[in-house]
Amino acid sequence: MEMQQVGHDARIYEPHQHRKYRATEFRKFLTRIDAQVPEGLDVHLICDNYQTHKTPAVKTRLQNHPRFHMHFTPTYSSWLNQVERFFGFVTEDLLRRSDHSSVQSLEADIRKWVSEWNTNPTPFTWTKTAEQILESIGRLLNRTSGAGH
């Protein structure tokens, strides 16, 4: 498991050590985080709405570990997910100008790029307030309600 310092008390954990990503692997990931984060600190997890993060076994584990707080990105909300912008940088800086003969080669190049990025990371910041975003969503809903989709 790769762990990176992001801010004073924030870290990014990479759960994907296996090709498969099921509830079993996610529970193992939670166990590793629990062992590495000092007791007394809360753990906030930002996850997509993938069913793996919501199985009964995962819910039970989280109930038994109240310092873990799950935050789910809304479905179909890539506009809200700033990780999408990060992937945009990876695409622009690395993927469009590269050729990989294997998944392992691609993974190695991405890990190298991330390592270089982290030598001088740039924080992502919101340019709109929550109210402005909600107003924009309201306008979109007004335009699309009853549109037949």
Side-chain angles (χ1 to χ4, degrees), residues 36-145:
Q36 291 187 3
V37 174
E39 289 184 30
L41 292 179
D42 282 350
V43 177
H44 291 265
L45 300 162
I46 302 170
C47 299
D48 59 18
N49 276 297
Y50 193 49
Q51 192 58 38
T52 295
H53 304 132
K54 299 177 178 183
T55 64
V58 168
K59 287 180 180 181
T60 299
R61 195 203 183 285
L62 292 169
Q63 287 172 348
N64 293 332
H65 295 83
R67 75 182 184 136
F68 281 76
H69 307 277
M70 296 291 285
H71 306 279
F72 294 101
T73 58
T75 304
Y76 306 113
S77 66
S78 62
W79 59 269
L80 180 63
N81 189 345
Q82 291 190 11
V83 171
E84 293 291 330
R85 186 62 210 122
F86 180 77
F87 286 126
F89 285 128
V90 172
T91 300
E92 292 166 19
D93 295 348
L94 172 69
L95 299 178
R96 285 199 181 130
R97 293 189 295 260
S98 62
D99 184 28
H100 299 92
S101 59
S102 68
V103 172
Q104 292 78 13
S105 168
L106 172 63
E107 288 177 354
D109 276 357
I110 291 173
R111 289 181 191 283
K112 180 181 176 198
W113 185 91
V114 169
S115 179
E116 290 171 3
W117 171 276
N118 283 336
T119 61
N120 188 20
T122 304
F124 296 103
T125 57
W126 290 107
T127 58
K128 292 188 177 184
T129 66
E131 290 77 20
Q132 289 171 318
I133 292 169
L134 292 173
E135 287 172 11
S136 176
I137 292 171
R139 289 190 304 272
L140 173 66
L141 291 175
N142 285 334
R143 285 194 319 265
T144 58
S145 61

Side-chain angles (χ1 to χ4, degrees), residues 17-35:
Q17 289 188 329
H18 305 282
R19 292 284 178 235
K20 294 183 180 181
Y21 187 65
R22 303 167 297 190
T24 301
E25 287 81 21
F26 187 60
R27 286 193 327 269
K28 289 177 184 177
F29 168 68
L30 295 174
T31 300
R32 286 193 306 267
I33 292 175
D34 200 27

